[in-house]
Structure formats: C-alpha cells, structure tokens
Amino acid sequence: GAGVSQTPSNKVTEKGKYVELRCDPISGHTALYWYRQSLGQGPEFLIYFQGTGAADDSGLPNDRFFAVRPEGSVSTLKIQRTERGDSAVYLCASSQSGGSGTGELFFGEGSRLTVL
Amino acid sequence: DQQVKQNSPSLSVQEGRISILNCDYTNSMFDYFLWYKKYPAEGPTFLISISSIKDKNEDGRFTVFLNKSAKHLSLHIVPSQPGDSAVYFCAASGSGAGSYQLTFGKGTKLSVIP
C-alpha cells in the first residue's frame, strides 16, 4: 500500500513478556517517528529516526523500550518486560524529511498493545 | 504538565453551521502549529498548519487562526458536514533542532449532527 503500515494491529500479552511492533513507512520517506497514545490522551513522542540512526530518543519512557531501523526503512519498536502501564496505541509516522515545518507527518493506523 | 491544551473534550454542531475548536499552549518556543483529524481505528491525518509568522491560514472549509500574544489558536470549519465528525488534535513544534517533535493536545471530539 501507499501509506504507513503497522503490524500487528492488535497485540495482547501478559505482564513481563517481550513485544515487538513493526512499522513500514511510506517509500522514500527518510524520517520515521514513534508516538504512543494512551487512553484519553493525545499522541506522545517516543523516538525519531533520520535514516538509520535515532536522532532523538528522548521520549522513550525507560530502558525497557528500544527501537531500531537498520536499513533506513522498516522500524521495530521493542518493549521488554512489559507492564500494564505500557498498554496504549503505538503510532508510527513518516515524513519526507525531518521537521514538522517542512512536511506533514503521515501516521499509520497504530498497534494497540494490551498488557494483562 | 500539558504544554498544549484542548479544554473541550467534545463539541456538537448542526450540519451547515460553523465548528470552532480551540487550543491553548504554554511553551513560547513553539512556532509551528498543526491540526490533525482522527477517525476511530485510523491514524491521525494532517489537516492544516500555521507558522508563527502568520495569524491565519485557510484551506477550503478549514481556517486556522493564531493569536501569539494569547498563546491561542483555533480551527474553524464552515460549513460543517457530517463527515467532519472525528477527534481533532492540536499539535505544536519548535524550530530548528526541535522541529520534528510534535506535542499534542488531548483532542476534541467533534460531532456534526445532520
């Protein structure tokens, strides 16, 4: 498809388990972002990639969260030892270049994570 | 500490009338503002934006107004249509190195009644 693709769309896991969420950005978009949206809140910034490197990971809540983008395209958000508070919709977005002032962000439909 | 605030969780408007969604911000370093629209089970989609050097930007039925001194912006939709029913998020970003990081409000759910 032409848009940002995220898998899985839904993931239910048990507390303490490891989870991977995948994002396939729009072809040619160099910038990739992960956001997290908790119930009743707006999306919150997690991490920003420009190419293969994480240009800013200051939004990751703690060291249980990690994200990679090894070839500058697909990205994986990894969550270790999941906790109930990690339950949220994880949104991925991409843009042609970094910076909201230079181009809009295109969001995927999100991966809904539920930690029991 | 919410840097972008949307104080109205919901808004109902009659079809054909004007919808006004409001947003306030506290961070004076923000200089670019955006509105995103979100339907259930979909990701947010970009609607309209405005730079801090402007006080108005118009795109069809959608107009965004920015009052920098009041740190306030609003989205006007006229005429409102049932298909506009969605959650609207206000977002802001800084300039330069911080321009990629969007700070979102909690959203306002707009219902346009036929």
Side-chain angles (χ1 to χ4, degrees), chain A residues 33 35 37 41-43 45 48 56 99-101 104-105 107-109, chain B residues 32 36 38 41-44 46 89 93 99-102 104-106:
Chain A
Y33 316 76
Y35 281 77
Q37 186 176 11
Q41 304 294 318
F45 171 80
Y48 157 59
D56 184 354
S100 63
E104 65 181 89
L105 270 59
F107 282 88
E109 294 184 353
Chain B
Y32 194 72
Y36 279 80
K38 186 181 183 304
E42 294 185 10
F46 172 77
F89 290 100
S93 71
S99 65
Y100 55 82
Q101 188 177 134
L102 294 181
F104 284 85
K106 291 185 178 183

Coordinates of all heavy atoms in Angstrom, one line a residue, chain A residues 33 35 37 41-43 45 48 56 99-101 104-105 107-109, chain B residues 32 36 38 41-44 46 89 93 99-102 104-106:
Chain A
Y33 N 9.0 8.2 12.9 CA 8.7 8.6 14.2 C 7.8 7.5 14.9 O 7.0 6.9 14.3 CB 7.9 9.9 14.3 CG 8.4 11.0 13.3 CD1 8.1 11.0 12.0 CD2 9.1 12.1 13.8 CE1 8.5 12.0 11.1 CE2 9.5 13.1 13.0 CZ 9.2 13.0 11.6 OH 9.7 14.0 10.8
Y35 N 5.2 7.3 18.2 CA 4.4 8.0 19.2 C 3.6 7.0 20.0 O 3.3 5.9 19.5 CB 3.4 9.1 18.6 CG 4.1 10.3 18.2 CD1 4.8 10.4 17.0 CD2 4.0 11.5 18.9 CE1 5.5 11.6 16.6 CE2 4.6 12.7 18.6 CZ 5.3 12.7 17.4 OH 5.9 13.9 17.0
Q37 N -0.1 6.6 22.2 CA -1.3 7.3 22.6 C -2.0 6.5 23.7 O -2.5 5.4 23.4 CB -2.2 7.6 21.4 CG -3.5 8.4 21.8 CD -4.3 8.7 20.6 OE1 -4.2 8.2 19.5 NE2 -5.3 9.6 20.8
Q41 N -5.7 10.5 25.9 CA -4.6 11.4 25.8 C -4.3 11.6 24.3 O -4.8 10.8 23.4 CB -3.3 10.9 26.5 CG -3.5 10.5 27.9 CD -3.8 11.8 28.8 OE1 -3.1 12.8 28.6 NE2 -4.7 11.7 29.7
G42 N -3.5 12.6 24.0 CA -3.0 12.8 22.7 C -1.8 12.0 22.5 O -1.2 11.5 23.4
P43 N -1.3 11.8 21.2 CA -0.1 11.1 21.0 C 1.1 11.7 21.7 O 1.2 13.0 21.7 CB 0.1 11.1 19.5 CG -1.3 11.4 19.0 CD -2.0 12.2 20.0
F45 N 5.3 11.8 21.9 CA 6.6 11.5 21.2 C 7.4 10.5 21.9 O 7.6 10.6 23.1 CB 7.4 12.8 20.9 CG 8.7 12.6 20.4 CD1 8.9 12.3 19.0 CD2 9.8 12.6 21.2 CE1 10.2 12.1 18.5 CE2 11.1 12.4 20.7 CZ 11.3 12.2 19.4
Y48 N 12.6 9.5 17.2 CA 12.7 10.0 15.8 C 13.9 9.4 15.1 O 15.0 9.5 15.7 CB 12.7 11.5 15.9 CG 13.2 12.2 14.7 CD1 12.7 12.1 13.4 CD2 14.3 13.1 14.8 CE1 13.2 12.8 12.3 CE2 14.8 13.8 13.8 CZ 14.3 13.7 12.5 OH 14.8 14.4 11.4
D56 N 16.8 11.3 17.9 CA 16.3 11.7 19.2 C 15.4 10.6 19.8 O 14.4 10.3 19.3 CB 15.4 13.0 19.1 CG 15.0 13.6 20.4 OD1 15.2 12.9 21.5 OD2 14.4 14.7 20.4
G99 N 11.2 17.2 10.6 CA 10.8 18.6 10.9 C 9.4 18.8 10.4 O 9.0 18.7 9.2
S100 N 8.5 19.1 11.3 CA 7.1 19.3 11.0 C 6.9 20.6 10.1 O 6.0 20.7 9.4 CB 6.3 19.5 12.3 OG 6.7 20.6 13.0
G101 N 7.9 21.5 10.2 CA 7.7 22.7 9.4 C 8.0 22.5 8.0 O 7.7 23.3 7.1
E104 N 4.4 17.4 6.4 CA 3.5 16.8 7.3 C 3.9 15.4 7.6 O 4.6 14.7 6.9 CB 2.1 16.8 6.7 CG 1.9 15.9 5.5 CD 0.5 15.9 4.9 OE1 0.3 16.8 4.1 OE2 -0.3 15.1 5.3
L105 N 3.5 14.9 8.8 CA 3.7 13.5 9.2 C 2.5 12.7 8.7 O 1.4 13.1 8.9 CB 3.8 13.5 10.7 CG 5.2 13.6 11.4 CD1 5.8 14.9 11.0 CD2 5.1 13.4 12.8
F107 N 0.7 9.3 9.4 CA 0.6 8.3 10.5 C 0.0 7.0 10.0 O -0.8 6.9 9.1 CB -0.3 8.8 11.6 CG 0.3 9.7 12.6 CD1 0.3 11.1 12.3 CD2 1.0 9.3 13.7 CE1 0.9 12.0 13.1 CE2 1.6 10.2 14.6 CZ 1.6 11.6 14.3
G108 N 0.5 5.9 10.6 CA -0.2 4.6 10.4 C -1.4 4.5 11.3 O -1.7 5.4 12.0
E109 N -2.1 3.3 11.2 CA -3.3 3.1 12.0 C -3.0 2.7 13.4 O -3.9 2.8 14.2 CB -4.1 2.0 11.3 CG -4.7 2.4 9.9 CD -5.6 1.4 9.3 OE1 -5.7 0.3 9.9 OE2 -6.2 1.7 8.3
Chain B
Y32 N 5.3 26.5 15.3 CA 4.6 25.9 14.2 C 3.5 25.0 14.8 O 3.7 24.3 15.7 CB 5.6 25.0 13.4 CG 5.1 24.6 12.0 CD1 5.0 25.5 11.0 CD2 4.7 23.3 11.8 CE1 4.5 25.2 9.8 CE2 4.2 22.9 10.5 CZ 4.1 23.9 9.5 OH 3.7 23.5 8.3
Y36 N -4.6 17.9 13.4 CA -4.8 16.6 12.8 C -6.2 16.1 13.2 O -6.8 16.4 14.2 CB -3.8 15.6 13.5 CG -2.4 15.6 12.8 CD1 -1.5 16.6 13.2 CD2 -2.1 14.7 11.9 CE1 -0.3 16.6 12.6 CE2 -0.8 14.7 11.3 CZ 0.1 15.7 11.7 OH 1.3 15.7 11.1
K38 N -8.7 12.6 13.4 CA -8.6 11.2 13.6 C -10.0 10.5 13.7 O -10.8 10.9 14.5 CB -7.8 10.9 14.9 CG -7.6 9.4 15.1 CD -6.8 9.1 16.4 CE -6.5 7.7 16.6 NZ -7.6 6.8 16.5
A41 N -10.1 3.9 14.9 CA -9.4 2.8 14.3 C -8.5 3.3 13.2 O -8.0 2.4 12.4 CB -10.2 1.7 13.9
E42 N -8.3 4.6 13.0 CA -7.3 5.1 12.0 C -6.3 5.9 12.7 O -6.5 6.4 13.8 CB -8.1 5.9 10.9 CG -9.0 5.0 10.1 CD -9.6 5.9 9.0 OE1 -9.2 7.0 8.7 OE2 -10.6 5.4 8.3
G43 N -5.2 6.1 12.0 CA -4.2 7.1 12.5 C -4.6 8.5 12.2 O -5.5 8.8 11.4
P44 N -4.0 9.4 12.9 CA -4.3 10.9 12.7 C -3.9 11.2 11.3 O -2.9 10.8 10.8 CB -3.4 11.6 13.7 CG -3.1 10.6 14.8 CD -3.0 9.3 14.0
F46 N -3.2 14.6 8.8 CA -2.9 16.1 8.8 C -4.0 16.8 8.1 O -4.6 16.4 7.1 CB -1.6 16.3 8.0 CG -1.3 17.8 7.8 CD1 -0.8 18.6 8.8 CD2 -1.5 18.3 6.5 CE1 -0.5 19.9 8.6 CE2 -1.2 19.7 6.3 CZ -0.8 20.5 7.3
F89 N -7.0 16.9 16.9 CA -5.9 17.1 17.8 C -5.1 18.4 17.3 O -4.8 18.5 16.1 CB -4.9 16.0 17.7 CG -5.4 14.7 18.4 CD1 -5.9 13.7 17.6 CD2 -5.3 14.6 19.8 CE1 -6.4 12.5 18.2 CE2 -5.8 13.4 20.4 CZ -6.3 12.4 19.6
S93 N 5.1 22.5 17.5 CA 6.5 22.1 17.5 C 7.4 23.4 17.5 O 6.9 24.5 17.3 CB 6.9 21.3 16.2 OG 6.9 22.1 15.1
S99 N 12.2 20.8 15.7 CA 11.1 21.0 14.8 C 10.4 19.7 14.5 O 9.2 19.7 14.1 CB 11.5 21.7 13.5 OG 12.4 20.8 12.8
Y100 N 11.0 18.6 14.7 CA 10.4 17.3 14.3 C 9.5 16.8 15.4 O 8.7 15.9 15.2 CB 11.5 16.2 14.0 CG 12.4 16.1 15.2 CD1 12.1 15.3 16.3 CD2 13.6 16.8 15.2 CE1 13.0 15.2 17.3 CE2 14.5 16.7 16.3 CZ 14.2 15.9 17.3 OH 15.0 15.8 18.4
Q101 N 9.6 17.2 16.6 CA 8.9 16.7 17.7 C 7.6 17.4 18.0 O 7.6 18.6 18.3 CB 9.8 16.7 19.0 CG 9.2 16.0 20.1 CD 10.0 16.0 21.4 OE1 9.6 16.2 22.5 NE2 11.3 15.7 21.2
L102 N 6.5 16.7 17.7 CA 5.2 17.3 17.9 C 4.7 17.1 19.3 O 4.8 16.0 19.8 CB 4.2 16.7 16.9 CG 4.4 17.0 15.4 CD1 3.3 16.4 14.6 CD2 4.4 18.5 15.2
F104 N 1.2 17.1 21.3 CA -0.2 17.1 21.0 C -1.1 17.5 22.2 O -0.7 17.2 23.4 CB -0.6 15.7 20.6 CG -0.2 15.3 19.2 CD1 1.0 14.8 18.9 CD2 -1.1 15.4 18.1 CE1 1.4 14.4 17.7 CE2 -0.8 15.1 16.9 CZ 0.5 14.6 16.6
G105 N -2.3 18.0 22.0 CA -3.3 18.1 23.0 C -4.0 16.8 23.1 O -3.7 15.9 22.4
K106 N -5.0 16.8 24.0 CA -5.7 15.6 24.3 C -6.8 15.3 23.3 O -7.4 14.3 23.2 CB -6.4 15.6 25.7 CG -5.4 15.6 26.8 CD -6.1 15.5 28.2 CE -5.1 15.3 29.3 NZ -5.7 15.2 30.6

